[in-house]
Amino acid sequence: MLDPRHPEVRAYLVEKVSRAVEQWDMDGLKLDFIDRFAVTDPPPAPADADRTAVHEGVLQLLADLDARLRRTRPDVIVEHRQPYVSPGLWPYATMVRTVDCPLSPAENRQRTVDCRLTAGPLAVHADMIMWNSAEAPESVAVHLVNALFSVPQISVDLAAQSPDQLATLRFWLGVFRRYADVLQLGVLEPVRPDLGYPLVHARDHHTTVVARYAPLPVALPDRHAANGPQTLLVANADGDPVVLLTATRPEQALARVQDCRGEILSETVLDLAAGVNSVTVPTGGLFTLTREH
């Protein structure tokens, strides 16, 4: 473990790491294991160190590296990773990624939402999304919906996927792209952090997206409120297909239900009553409610 309190250590690391951009023409890099600098009871800084505290040396290292990289590539991309995501690192990164959890949709969800709540202006990446080649397309959709409020990273052999798995992947990546503004830049409102965020909302002035990871009811936004959203999307990642919608007043709206592959199962004008309304959305499917002006 090198000691970043030494100026020659920082210079050595900056020189080595910068090669990826300066010599190999990479667009950017990932800086990993920064948390390993945080040791318990570090020894006192020796006489030739120019920083007393280890964290001061780490911040100086990141600042020096950032300045060096941007001299070569002003738009350099730099990724940091949990568990060292914090506002102190915002100036030295463009994106952050969750800790390694490639086969756990629930942990990917919890950690991407955690990062979204602390990442400020930085893009948040899910960990690599993987699944067994024999998994049903519904399971593939559940993996993707659990990363819905982050940038998904798909880490499977596309050539080895079944037509249904590819259709599911194509459909949900289309949802990620089409609604990127609200998913990535909208107001994020996760529910019950103590339960791992079983319900997560994102909204802007036009659209509300709700991801449902447990059999919880979904409240319809008030269409009569100022700038009330006209479109509601409910992504169902729970095994229960019965979704309860709660409305504050009666209304009619256009309703569409799609399965995990994006195939339309129904399109109808839905009469919503004040109170609880039941709709059926298959696991891995998407419910879209569109209100006409």
Side-chain angles (χ1 to χ4, degrees), residues 32-49:
D32 211 346
F33 294 102
I34 293 175
D35 54 306
R36 297 295 183 177
F37 283 122
V39 297
T40 303
D41 297 326
D48 57 347

Side-chain angles (χ1 to χ4, degrees), residues 101-105 127-128 130-132 135 143:
C101 53
L103 294 172
S104 175
D127 190 38
M128 286 61 183
M130 305 168 66
W131 55 82
N132 185 279
E135 282 195 61
H143 276 281

